[in-house]
Amino acid sequence: MVRKKGSLILCGGFLFVAWNALLLLYLWGRPPSGRLGEGGGAEPGGKEEWGVGRGGQVNLAGEVIRLAEEVEVQLETQKKLLKQIEGHRAVWARQRDVGKRESKVKKEGKEEVVKQERKPPPPPPPSPVKEDTEVKDQTDVKQTQKPAATEALNSKSEQQQQQAAAIKQEIKTDTFYTSGPEVVIPILVIACDRVTVKRSLDKLIQYRPSPQLFPIIVSQDCGHAETARVIGSYGEQVTHIRQPDLSDIRVRPEHRKFQGYYKIARHYRWALNQIFNMLSHSSVVIVEDDLEVAPDFFEYFQALYPILRSDPSLWCVSAWNDNGRDALVDPSKAELLHRTDFFPGLGWMLLKDMWDELEPKWPSAFWDDWMRQPEQRRDRSCIRPEISRTITFGRKGVSLGQFFDQYLRYIKLNTEFVPFTKLDLSYLLKDKYEVKFILEVYSALLVKIEDLQQGGSLKGPGPFRVQYSTRDTFKVFSRNLGVMDDLKSGVPRTGYRGVVSFLHRGRRVFLAPPEGWTHYDVSWS
């Protein structure tokens, strides 16, 4: 394959030279464009025939200039073609080197196998010995040398296998990067009238590994001039789009105070349609203008993109942990990720296929709670981190600071960079995750909530399980243990199969329904 590609390059070079030679001959002999005749060709019947000036002499200087200009245009075209050939040549050369290395390893491996299969040559005739002790010593030496040689042979074989595996991995990596462009994941920043969007944009740009793979698109509603100036100050580092419809939305009289929620839902719909339908992206990560991101924010979503793509039981990836307060998370497990049936939002990834499903029935207001309804969730889950990759600093907003002072301001933001793209995240796939999760939860020691309180007699590192069976007991236990007690469509925040997992006084605790749980009860909301 590599030789064929090399031959193609040589043929391409030869054709390039031949083409330019023929082109020069053609351009030299071609008449200038003149008045069109009835036949559609240049008509030489005018006052100045081809190559003849007004005095009947050949206008050689003008003809040379014309010829040079046309040659320059053609050469510019050929220059572009050469650049494309040169680009492909570098890729082919790299693949050729990798192929040579792999062939070399395979050849060495085959030779080694042949050596092992050959019978050893007959031993030389024994030399005369004088004493039995000398014979015994030689026998001992032979017995010790044979296993040593076998061990060296096996060790060499293992090294060759490792080398071959490394080359295969390199070939696989090269194929990934050269077979097509990497996945582009745009970051959509939903903005309105907060000039503090600067804090959010500064962190996004600081931690962004590639502007090409993670373009930042700021969609602004409200028409706030000062916020627009802040966004515009970033120049080409971000793309600034503006929601064109700033009009009030006609709502029922009792919903006039919720006008902001209606405008937010309208803005989301418009902005997501721009991302997926106008800009033709296949995925997006949505953040709002009051979120600050962690150093591994981009790494997190890049690693989880293929998981979201491959598992139909997932419908989003979120950077947020609703129960992510410092005392409730394990600081030693920054790499730990969970599945959750609760839609977290606050920095989340959505695929175009999912948007195509949601957009036709998108609500006029309260879009996040609408997302949590069974009709939209359809028993699908999201991925969430143990330690949040976003925090919110926006106390001011349409929710008037709801939950902010009590919960949100205490959320812990991850500061340790985790190389998620180098980790095996297949444990998050439903078939693997669910078996291990159920076993871990229901094999944990069942305890009373009093045992976990300060002064309790409970010993050991855990994990422990506290069981609830009604909506009221869930709320009471949640408040006593410090986790959020509200439910949306019957689903507790961070819950998976009804289980809320968190740390309490440094020990893992599962607030769980009885074993054999089957579904959520929407009447608990």
Side-chain angles (χ1 to χ4, degrees):
M1 177 61 78
V2 175
R3 290 181 180 175
K4 288 182 179 179
K5 291 178 180 176
S7 301
L8 286 174
I9 292 174
L10 291 175
C11 290
F14 175 76
L15 289 173
F16 174 78
V17 174
W19 166 255
N20 280 287
L22 291 172
L23 184 64
L24 286 172
L25 292 173
Y26 166 72
L27 292 175
W28 184 266
R30 192 182 70 174
S33 57
R35 186 165 50 87
L36 291 179
E38 294 179 359
E43 184 177 356
K47 294 180 179 179
E48 295 185 10
E49 304 233 353
W50 180 81
V52 181
R54 291 177 180 174
Q57 297 178 352
V58 176
N59 187 4
L60 183 60
E63 194 61 33
V64 169
I65 293 173
R66 179 186 64 79
L67 182 62
E69 289 175 349
E70 294 191 11
V71 168
E72 185 178 359
V73 171
Q74 295 296 329
L75 286 177
E76 190 65 28
T77 303
Q78 299 300 324
K79 183 179 178 182
K80 293 180 181 178
L81 287 172
L82 275 177
K83 286 183 178 179
Q84 293 179 1
I85 292 173
E86 189 65 28
H88 289 297
R89 182 181 177 184
V91 174
W92 294 338
R94 187 178 178 187
Q95 291 180 345
R96 179 187 61 194
D97 293 340
V98 173
K100 285 182 178 179
R101 288 169 57 189
E102 187 185 27
S103 300
K104 183 179 178 181
V105 171
K106 288 181 178 179
K107 183 178 179 182
E108 290 178 356
K110 289 179 179 178
E111 290 177 355
E112 197 64 43
V113 170
V114 170
K115 287 180 181 179
Q116 292 179 15
E117 290 179 350
R118 285 178 184 169
K119 294 182 179 179
S127 57
V129 293
K130 295 182 180 179
E131 297 180 3
D132 292 342
T133 54
E134 188 175 349
V135 175
K136 183 179 180 180
D137 291 342
Q138 290 180 359
T139 304
D140 291 342
V141 169
K142 289 180 181 178
Q143 289 176 350
T144 56
Q145 285 180 346
K146 185 175 181 181
T150 304
E151 183 178 351
L153 189 64
N154 291 338
S155 176
K156 186 176 181 181
S157 178
E158 289 178 1
Q159 290 177 357
Q160 289 174 342
Q161 290 175 0
Q162 291 175 359
Q163 188 177 3
I167 289 178
K168 287 181 180 178
Q169 181 62 33
E170 184 176 350
I171 292 171
K172 182 179 179 182
T173 303
D174 286 346
T175 302
F176 174 76
Y177 284 106
T178 60
S179 62
E182 290 184 80
V183 176
V184 176
I185 305 176
I187 310 299
L188 173 62
V189 181
I190 300 292
C192 183
D193 58 355
R194 289 191 181 108
V195 294
T196 51
V197 67
K198 176 177 173 56
R199 176 175 170 181
S200 180
L201 292 176
D202 284 346
K203 290 298 182 181
L204 285 169
I205 293 171
Q206 177 184 347
Y207 297 136
R208 178 172 60 171
S210 167
Q212 290 74 34
L213 296 182
F214 299 97
I216 298 173
I217 302 165
V218 186
S219 180
Q220 186 188 1
D221 199 0
C222 308
H224 191 248
E226 190 174 353
T227 302
R229 281 195 295 271
V230 170
I231 299 169
S233 68
Y234 288 89
E236 295 182 355
Q237 295 182 93
V238 305
T239 299
H240 187 191
I241 60 176
R242 307 182 193 221
Q243 150 75 309
D245 187 359
L246 305 181
S247 63
D248 285 339
I249 300 172
R250 182 176 298 179
V251 300
R252 301 194 305 269
E254 63 270 22
H255 272 209
R256 286 176 184 169
K257 61 181 179 180
F258 299 132
Q259 179 74 213
Y261 289 101
Y262 282 85
K263 289 186 176 182
I264 288 174
R266 179 178 66 184
H267 185 197
Y268 263 83
R269 186 176 202 162
W270 179 84
L272 288 171
N273 277 328
Q274 298 302 304
I275 295 293
F276 291 123
N277 299 330
M278 299 301 294
L279 301 177
S280 301
H281 289 292
S282 62
S283 65
V284 67
V285 174
I286 306 159
V287 298
E288 295 188 359
D289 56 0
D290 61 345
L291 292 184
E292 180 179 326
V293 303
D296 57 358
F297 175 85
F298 295 93
E299 176 83 0
Y300 174 79
F301 284 107
Q302 187 175 26
L304 287 168
Y305 173 84
I307 299 292
L308 181 60
R309 273 281 182 205
S310 61
D311 190 345
S313 70
L314 294 172
W315 70 322
C316 87
V317 174
S318 174
W320 177 260
N321 178 0
D322 278 292
N323 288 316
R325 293 196 296 168
D326 201 359
L328 299 176
V329 297
D330 190 341
S332 68
K333 294 185 177 179
E335 77 286 353
L336 182 60
L337 306 179
H338 307 270
R339 291 176 69 106
T340 176
D341 296 325
F342 189 89
F343 171 72
L346 295 178
W348 55 289
M349 178 188 284
L350 176 72
L351 300 180
K352 184 182 186 303
D353 292 343
M354 187 56 60
W355 179 242
D356 290 340
E357 175 189 320
L358 297 174
E359 195 273 342
K361 55 179 180 177
W362 190 253
S364 57
F366 310 107
W367 68 269
D368 48 352
D369 284 342
W370 174 84
M371 289 275 288
R372 292 160 183 153
Q373 294 173 359
E375 294 80 8
Q376 281 64 252
R377 191 174 67 82
R378 294 170 53 186
D379 294 326
R380 293 174 292 204
S381 304
C382 295
I383 302 295
R384 69 161 180 94
E386 171 75 5
I387 304 176
S388 283
R389 265 57 187 186
T390 57
I391 57 170
T392 176
F393 54 84
R395 186 179 186 280
K396 176 186 175 183
V398 293
S399 62
L400 302 177
Q402 183 184 18
F403 292 128
F404 185 86
D405 291 330
Q406 188 176 1
Y407 293 104
L408 304 184
R409 66 184 300 176
Y410 300 109
I411 298 294
K412 176 181 175 62
L413 180 67
N414 179 65
T415 57
E416 174 187 348
F417 185 92
V418 177
F420 284 111
T421 55
K422 295 180 173 60
L423 302 180
D424 182 6
L425 302 180
S426 62
Y427 71 91
L428 293 166
L429 298 173
K430 183 176 181 179
D431 292 341
K432 290 185 177 181
Y433 186 90
E434 199 153 288
V435 172
K436 183 179 177 182
F437 179 80
I438 293 173
L439 180 63
E440 184 180 10
V441 170
Y442 291 101
S443 63
L445 181 63
L446 181 61
V447 299
K448 295 181 179 180
I449 191 170
E450 293 82 5
D451 298 329
L452 294 171
Q453 301 298 323
Q454 188 174 8
S457 59
L458 195 62
K459 304 296 182 183
F464 302 109
R465 175 165 51 99
V466 176
Q467 185 168 295
Y468 70 89
S469 55
T470 66
R471 174 183 179 275
D472 292 338
T473 55
F474 171 80
K475 284 185 166 290
V476 170
F477 292 165
S478 297
R479 291 167 188 165
N480 279 274
L481 294 170
V483 297
M484 297 186 75
D485 67 339
D486 63 318
L487 303 104
K488 302 290 185 179
S489 297
V491 184
R493 291 181 184 266
T494 74
Y496 185 70
R497 294 183 57 87
V499 180
V500 177
S501 173
F502 57 96
L503 246 62
H504 182 76
R505 300 186 184 279
R507 297 180 291 195
R508 179 65 58 180
V509 173
F510 300 114
L511 181 56
E515 191 170 4
W517 177 95
T518 56
H519 66 280
Y520 293 103
D521 187 344
V522 295
S523 68
W524 283 23
S525 299

